[in-house]
Amino acid sequence: MTQQELARSAVYIVQHEYEHATVTAADGRQASVGEFYGDPAVALIDGHEQWCAVAGEGLVICKLGGKFGLCQAYYRQPGAVRWITGLRQTGPFTLEWRDEEGVWSTLDVEPVDASAYAPGR
């Protein structure tokens, strides 16, 4: 099985193997971002390496640094799934995501807290 790289920064790599995405730190720590129906389509790592985003069937945001691996899912609930084909960071805790029709929407990614932890689906 082969890992496919989705995003890389100086300290982190976001990869997927088939439908499962992970983020790995340079020090060897690894966290599961979760399972996606179909392979994840895109990912980005925040310019300040505070969080990463992985998308395809919905979107998952994971903390990096001190709360490494703490994740929150968006647009993945039955009946409300969004198919995301593009991501771009527009602010320290803000990103835009593109749906399958090419429409861009904005999402504030702060904060991710322990009560919102949602690995996988």
Side-chain angles (χ1 to χ4, degrees):
M1 294 185 207
T2 304
Q3 294 269 346
Q4 299 293 317
E5 187 173 304
L6 293 169
R8 177 184 290 264
S9 70
V11 178
Y12 299 98
I13 301 171
V14 177
Q15 298 175 307
H16 77 93
E17 188 168 338
Y18 299 110
E19 297 180 337
H20 184 81
T22 58
V23 59
T24 304
D27 64 8
R29 291 176 296 155
Q30 188 173 57
S32 173
V33 177
E35 301 289 328
F36 289 77
Y37 180 79
D39 294 346
V42 294
L44 68 79
I45 298 170
D46 153 54
H48 297 287
E49 297 181 324
Q50 297 177 72
W51 52 271
C52 69
V54 181
E57 174 218 10
L59 172 68
V60 178
I61 306 292
C62 286
K63 288 288 191 176
L64 304 174
K67 295 183 179 180
F68 181 75
L70 187 62
C71 298
Q72 185 167 345
Y74 298 86
Y75 314 116
R76 300 188 85 184
Q77 300 74 24
V81 171
R82 300 285 191 269
W83 296 96
I84 298 173
T85 62
L87 295 171
R88 59 188 179 203
Q89 185 174 359
T90 57
F93 297 102
T94 307
L95 64 77
E96 290 185 332
W97 56 274
R98 183 179 60 220
D99 68 19
E100 60 191 334
E101 281 117 31
V103 176
W104 287 92
S105 299
T106 301
L107 177 68
D108 178 9
V109 300
E110 177 87 87
V112 174
D113 63 33
S115 64
Y117 181 69
R121 292 187 164 164

